[in-house]
Amino acid sequence: MIVTAEQIEALRPYIGNIEEMVSADDVDALLDAVDDVVIDNILGNNNEPDAEGKRIQRIYDDIAAQNHVYWD
């Protein structure tokens, strides 16, 4: 799995076991955890992400692209 140190640090406040998730080498599980953070942000802000939610969404998108995760 390709995840940068900067991405790990940005996600650490939201995903307490981020290192274990990266070590498990399951990109889908990591993306699910990041998606949960984004959804929580949206739900906490009247169904619209704030700046932090948008930043986390970009991290999600970057990790997906780095790992060639594509959905139909």
Side-chain angles (χ1 to χ4, degrees):
M1 176 182 341
I2 302 168
V3 181
T4 68
E6 292 82 12
Q7 290 166 331
I8 291 170
E9 286 306 312
L11 294 172
R12 187 182 313 280
Y14 306 101
I15 304 172
N17 63 340
I18 185 76
E19 289 86 5
E20 291 141 18
M21 295 193 85
V22 171
S23 294
D25 200 34
D26 184 349
V27 71
D28 290 327
L30 177 60
L31 290 174
D32 285 345
V34 177
D35 190 52
D36 289 345
V37 173
V38 172
I39 290 169
D40 287 346
N41 178 274
I42 290 169
L43 293 175
N45 290 292
N46 297 318
N47 294 322
E48 290 292 329
D50 63 6
E52 187 65 8
K54 291 176 183 176
R55 184 176 77 91
I56 300 300
Q57 180 65 55
R58 279 191 301 276
I59 293 170
Y60 175 100
D61 294 341
D62 290 345
I63 292 171
Q66 289 160 203
N67 289 279
H68 306 286
V69 175
Y70 304 102
W71 299 273
D72 292 331

